[in-house]
Amino acid sequence: MVMKALIFDCDGVLVDTERDGHRVAFNQAFLDFGIETEWGVDLYGKLLKRVSGGKERLYLYFNETGWPQDAGDDRDGYVARFHAHKSTLFQQLVRDGALSLRPGINRITDEARAAGMKLAVCTTARLESVLAVLNLMGPERKSWFEHVLAGDIVSRKKPDPAVYRLAAEKLALDPLECMVIEDSNHGLRAALGAGMNCVITTSSYTWNEDFSGAKKIVDKLGEPPGANLSIDDLKRFCR
């Protein structure tokens, strides 16, 4: 197959967001909601491996440790309010410059664009948070992304392949014409489950996960002269 689309995960791929972004925002939200809880680096890493999606991690944690009294009988509403506030805090971190694009992201995006490929993002993150990250690319690059499939756009999150199947449908492409860049086992399984090709760029929480089935595993995309992956490499993997 000829590669016709490059699809990015967001958290851990575009920006290494989890440890110093989302985790920090969750902890501030706990304070703001009057919850005496802090997700340390190790605990947050364990939660990431168990479930995808911020709201899903809240349900998991509260179910196991006890729900705040404020949640009452409307746990869904409580999680929705908490997660919306946490996402606002995360977006402010991005705007304040606390996080930056990973090395090679702009480069490989430019190469894909020059090769006439379609661009998309598939992620469990909230749409507003993804758009804040894409702003780091600048308005021109951001405009190149035809689809940003985020948050609850599908009912089943990674490792379920639903979001990548939806991407293939919206891009009007055979899944084998798509190359995915992921950073986690959950994301890899989702991409492979949809029949897509996938390469891995490991992040701070995922370097030791099982990536069987990935076309290639690198610690970062990188910049010349030390770039680890180019668009020509990805095209070759698709063939």
Side-chain angles (χ1 to χ4, degrees):
M1 284 285 184
V2 175
M3 178 181 169
K4 295 182 180 178
L6 179 59
I7 305 175
F8 296 89
D9 176 40
C10 179
D11 295 319
V13 172
L14 299 179
V15 176
D16 199 348
T17 53
E18 295 292 5
R19 184 186 64 193
D20 300 323
H22 289 296
R23 186 184 67 87
V24 172
F26 270 115
N27 286 334
Q28 182 59 53
F30 287 136
L31 287 173
D32 294 345
F33 273 63
I35 302 171
E36 294 184 3
T37 294
E38 181 176 354
W39 284 355
V41 172
D42 290 342
L43 172 58
Y44 191 68
K46 292 174 182 177
L47 292 170
L48 283 174
K49 284 179 169 57
R50 293 181 65 187
V51 67
S52 294
K55 291 193 292 292
E56 287 73 13
R57 280 188 282 280
L58 287 169
Y59 280 110
L60 174 66
Y61 183 78
F62 288 146
N63 281 337
E64 293 184 348
T65 64
W67 282 81
Q69 286 188 343
D70 290 350
D73 294 328
D74 185 15
R75 293 179 174 180
D76 291 346
Y78 184 85
V79 167
R81 292 191 301 275
F82 185 102
H83 192 258
H85 179 62
K86 171 260 163 186
S87 296
T88 298
L89 295 170
F90 171 79
Q91 292 159 37
Q92 189 60 52
L93 285 172
V94 176
R95 288 193 293 269
D96 289 345
L99 301 166
S100 57
L101 293 173
R102 295 192 67 189
I105 289 297
N106 279 340
R107 172 188 59 80
I108 203 118
T109 300
D110 291 347
E111 290 176 2
R113 175 72 173 182
M117 294 178 185
K118 298 181 177 183
L119 293 165
V121 175
C122 289
T123 177
T124 61
R126 194 180 182 95
L127 177 60
E128 293 83 358
S129 296
V130 183
L131 296 178
V133 169
L134 289 176
N135 283 339
L136 298 176
M137 291 185 164
E140 182 177 11
R141 287 192 183 93
K142 182 181 178 181
S143 72
W144 297 344
F145 285 81
E146 294 187 27
H147 298 286
V148 178
L149 307 181
D152 297 321
I153 193 167
V154 291
S155 60
R156 300 178 307 280
K157 296 186 178 180
K158 303 173 187 178
D160 192 283
V163 70
Y164 284 119
R165 288 175 176 162
L166 179 61
E169 177 184 330
K170 286 186 172 294
L171 292 167
L173 294 175
D174 187 301
L176 286 173
E177 295 174 317
C178 303
M179 175 60 74
V180 175
I181 302 180
E182 273 283 358
D183 76 305
S184 70
N185 172 271
H186 285 314
L188 172 65
R189 286 158 57 195
L192 296 181
M196 293 183 176
N197 305 281
C198 185
V199 297
I200 295 293
T201 172
T202 58
S203 59
S204 57
Y205 275 120
T206 67
W207 60 272
N208 61 347
E209 293 186 6
D210 177 10
F211 294 122
S212 302
K215 296 291 186 181
K216 192 173 179 65
I217 306 164
V218 298
D219 63 348
K220 58 181 178 296
L221 298 179
E223 301 287 0
N228 293 316
L229 281 174
S230 69
I231 203 67
D232 289 335
D233 294 325
L234 301 184
K235 288 162 65 176
R236 186 170 64 253
F237 294 150
C238 281
R239 290 197 296 271

